Structure formats: C-alpha cells, structure tokens
Amino acid sequence: MTSSSPVGDPVGGPDGDGRGRDGERLPRPPAFAFPAQTWREIAHLLANLLVGIVCFVFTLVWLTVGLGLAVTVVGLPLLAVGLRCSRALGRFERYRARGLLSMRIDEPSPLPHQPGSGFLGRLWTNLRDPVGWRATLYALIRLPWSVVTFAITLTSLFVAWPVLPWIARGLTHVDRAMVRGLLFPSDELERRIAELESDRGTVVDTAAADLRRIERDLHDGAQARLVALAMGLGLAKEKLEEDPEAAAKMVDEAHGEVKLALQELRDLARGIHPAILTDRGLGPALSALSARCTVPVKVTVELPERPAPAIEGIAYFTVSELLQNISKHSGAHTAEIELWRADNRLLIQVRDDGRGGAATDRGSGLSGLAERLGSVDGLFAVDSPPGGPTAVTAELPWHHRTGPAAGAAVARSRRSGRSG
C-alpha cells in the first residue's frame, strides 16, 4: 500500500533534481501571462498621458505666442524656433514608437541648407517646413487621445486583465495610425527629393563636363590655329619687302589656316547648339546629322508641333551621340531613327543592324545618356543582344513651346509655307 502525498505538495514531491519522486518533470515556474510586446504596448499607452501633456502645453505656448506676435518682427522667428522644436519632439515620438510599438520608421529629410541665403532665407525655410507643421498638429491632437488611452489601460489593468492584450493592441493600432499619418516621412515626397538631388548633381556634372570640353576644343583647336596664323602673318609681314614670293606663299598658308579655324569654330558652335535646330526643328536637324554618319540612316519624324527648346536640344544631342556610337562601334550597314509624340511624352527610337552587345552598365557613353535623360524625368532603354540588332528607346517629357520662341517658330513655318 502506497502512502499519499502531503496536501499541497506536487505529485511525488521534489527530490532535489527538479523532478518528482516518481520521475515526472515539474511545471515551469510561474511567469507573467503576457508576452513582452504586450507589456511594451501597455507601457506606451500609460506613458501617453505624461508625454501628451508636456508636448501639448509646450506646443500651445509657442504657437499661441508666435501667432500673436506674427505681426511684429519677433513672432516669425519664434514660430521658426517652435517648428524646430516640434521636429525634435517628432523625432522623440518616432524613437518611442520604434522601441515600444515595434514600428519601422525612417527619419524625414533634414531642412535644406542653402549657403548664402541669409537670415530671411533660413527663416522662410523653417516657416514652410512640412515636417515641423505635421509634428505640431500631432502634438495638439494627441492630448485627448492620451487621456482616453491612459484611463482605459489603467482601468483594464485591474478590472479587465484577461482581455487587456486585445485592448492594448486595439488602442496602439490607433497610435500607429497617427504616427504613420503625421510623423512618417512622405514616401513620394522623399523619393522625389532624392531624385531631384541626384538629378541636380547630374545636371551640374554634365554642365561642367560640357564647359571643359568646349574649353579643350577651343584651346587645342581654333586657338592653336589662330596663334599659328598670327605668327605666320607676322613672318609674312617681315618678308614682304625682302622676298615677296615667300611672303605670298606664307599668306596663302595663313589663308588655309583661317579656313580650318573657321571650320573648327563652326563645328564647335554646332556642338553647342546647331543653328539648323533653332531655325527649322528636329526633322531637318536630324536629317543633316544623319548625312554625316558613316552608315546610311533613315529618318522619320512625326511631330504635330515643335517641343520646348530644352527638350528639342536634349533629343538632338541624344540622337547625335547614338549615331556616333553606331559609326564607331556597331559595324552596322543601316540604321533608322524615329521620333513621335505619345500623349505628353516625346519618344525616340534608334535602331541599327550591327553586332549588338551594347549596355548601359559598363561605364560607356550610354550610361551617361541614361543619367542625362533621367535628370529631366526621361527614360532610356537599350535592347542589344549579342549579334544584334540594337534598338535604343528614349523618352522625354513633352513641354510646349512658349513665349518668343514659339512665335518665331510659327513665323518661320509660315514663311517656309509661302515660299513653297
């Protein structure tokens, strides 16, 4: 006959090794019933009241005083300082949401720094800061909700313990929605800012590269020829009385140098902006451009009107560089250029029957073209399998010609129509 265990002892009783006398493992020690995330959510809800009161009072003071003194010189700087502080409060609330609500939040972009903008420029930048104003709104509307969450959570801790996890999760979902709506960086805005910053860098680099190219062409080409021309004319002047025949020969050589220098200057001007593009548009300009290509090129331009000069110039130089690549690297026998407008986009397609293998990810001129088109919200795609053929498609935003340029274009088209 076996003896029964003492009342209150576990079955078998402890024997010093964590097991009962009959070898059965004991249950785990008692623990809090809620997981760690639930406790963090409860802590967040209870802390809402103190944080909400501090943020509300501070925001209400600086906003009321700043708006009241806005008619004076003091009010606007006070508002700017208050918005800076609201940014800091928003940063603290994002930090609290990351730690207690397990939210993934990126920080918004800092205020743009513009050197040389002066006090008024910095003041205006602070006053129109959307991040600061959204954080201000968050601080103002949070206080009533903080009172509600604190009261419900504290009461539930004592009278609704079994359902407290669901209550806490529902209340923190509202907190998450408020943080997401007012303190999250705007995805579209942040993406656009990053694109514009990248595009600005690309435009600056491109402009600097073009200036260096023009300076190099002038220094190594036309300038060198003009220096040689000046020296030759000086020698011819000295020999004019002693040896007229030699002087005449030197003048003939100088005349040839003048022609070459003029041709180089024309080529340089055409590289900056061709006159035919300004006067007659993309169709005639691309036809003249294709005539200088080493490969026969068919040009098709279907545009109901001329785009803005900037878009027209980018389209011209894009085709120009693609034709240079065809001449130098493709080994093609024929090529084709097509331009047309689709909705608010200008589409360009250049095809050739060359060896293919072109790509934009090898640091070539095509990657530079892709960057330049991207800087104006354009697109650039290359389809060039090994063995060919190659098709390059570019898209540019369509902008209408406005102002004197549009009037001049219309007048030229009317004159050309009458002359035809």
Side-chain angles (χ1 to χ4, degrees):
M1 182 176 178
T2 59
S3 60
S4 61
S5 301
V7 178
D9 287 349
V11 177
D15 59 3
D17 61 353
R19 295 179 180 272
R21 292 189 184 95
D22 57 357
E24 185 176 334
R25 183 175 293 277
L26 297 175
R28 293 180 179 178
F32 288 108
F34 301 154
Q37 180 58 44
T38 299
W39 284 112
R40 286 195 293 267
E41 292 175 352
I42 293 172
H44 181 273
L45 294 171
L46 292 176
N48 274 352
L49 181 60
L50 178 61
V51 175
I53 292 174
V54 172
C55 293
F56 179 85
V57 172
F58 174 77
T59 303
L60 187 63
V61 169
W62 73 255
L63 188 60
T64 304
V65 176
L67 291 176
L69 297 176
V71 294
T72 67
V73 179
V74 180
L76 295 180
L78 182 59
L79 287 175
V81 173
L83 288 170
R84 283 274 189 170
C85 296
S86 289
R87 259 187 173 257
L89 291 177
R91 188 179 305 113
F92 169 74
E93 284 293 277
R94 284 188 291 272
Y95 175 79
R96 197 162 70 98
R98 291 189 197 101
L100 298 179
L101 301 182
S102 301
M103 296 182 68
R104 298 181 59 183
I105 314 174
D106 294 329
E107 290 293 327
S109 298
L111 284 172
H113 176 65
Q114 300 174 348
S117 59
F119 173 76
L120 293 179
R122 292 192 298 271
L123 178 64
W124 177 243
T125 300
N126 280 275
L127 289 176
R128 59 189 182 92
D129 175 25
V131 176
W133 284 112
R134 281 188 286 142
T136 301
L137 179 61
Y138 178 86
L140 292 177
I141 67 175
R142 281 281 295 176
L143 181 59
W145 176 246
S146 300
V147 174
V148 172
T149 58
F150 178 83
I152 294 176
T153 305
L154 188 62
T155 304
S156 301
L157 277 171
F158 297 100
V159 300
W161 180 269
V163 295
L164 180 57
W166 288 272
I167 294 174
R169 182 58 53 86
L171 294 176
T172 53
H173 276 340
V174 179
D175 280 86
R176 289 184 178 94
M178 295 176 69
V179 171
R180 189 175 292 111
L182 293 175
L183 299 184
F184 257 54
S186 172
D187 293 338
E188 182 66 22
L189 178 61
E190 295 296 316
R191 182 188 65 80
R192 187 59 180 159
I193 289 174
E195 287 181 357
L196 290 176
E197 289 178 349
S198 176
D199 294 346
R200 181 179 61 183
T202 301
V203 170
V204 171
D205 293 341
T206 301
D210 289 340
L211 288 176
R212 288 193 298 270
R213 176 182 60 83
I214 294 171
E215 181 183 8
R216 184 181 62 250
D217 292 344
L218 285 173
H219 183 271
D220 298 339
Q223 180 180 350
R225 291 192 180 279
L226 290 175
V227 170
L229 172 63
M231 295 176 60
L233 289 176
L235 293 174
K237 182 179 179 180
E238 293 178 357
K239 291 182 175 294
L240 185 60
E241 296 181 357
E242 300 176 1
D243 190 354
E245 294 182 0
K249 184 178 180 181
M250 296 176 69
V251 170
D252 287 339
E253 293 177 355
H255 185 253
E257 290 290 329
V258 169
K259 291 182 177 179
L260 292 175
L262 288 174
Q263 182 60 41
E264 289 183 356
L265 288 174
R266 290 194 191 97
D267 293 339
L268 181 60
R270 188 183 297 114
I272 298 172
H273 196 84
I276 188 173
L277 178 63
T278 303
D279 295 335
R280 302 179 60 188
L282 278 170
L286 294 182
S287 298
L289 186 65
S290 62
R292 298 195 297 270
C293 184
T294 59
V295 176
V297 181
K298 178 183 177 182
V299 180
T300 304
V301 178
E302 298 178 356
L303 297 177
E305 57 180 317
R306 293 179 60 178
I311 300 300
E312 204 172 51
I314 294 173
Y316 175 87
F317 288 109
T318 298
V319 175
S320 175
E321 190 155 346
L322 291 175
L323 289 181
Q324 291 180 20
N325 288 341
I326 291 174
S327 299
K328 295 178 182 178
H329 309 297
S330 70
H333 298 91
T334 60
E336 186 175 356
I337 302 170
E338 288 188 66
L339 270 81
W340 70 98
R341 178 185 174 184
D343 296 330
N344 288 322
R345 308 289 285 182
L346 173 63
L347 283 83
I348 307 167
Q349 190 168 69
V350 179
R351 297 187 295 270
D352 68 76
D353 58 356
R355 62 176 65 95
T360 59
D361 55 355
R362 301 174 185 173
S364 62
L366 294 180
S367 61
L369 276 179
E371 291 179 357
R372 292 188 183 190
L373 266 68
S375 65
V376 292
D377 288 337
L379 298 175
F380 189 80
V382 178
D383 180 17
S384 181
T390 297
V392 179
T393 303
E395 287 189 21
L396 289 167
W398 180 276
H399 297 304
H400 294 280
R401 298 176 74 90
T402 58
V410 172
R412 281 193 295 270
S413 63
R414 289 176 177 175
R415 286 198 299 270
S416 61
R418 286 197 299 266
S419 62

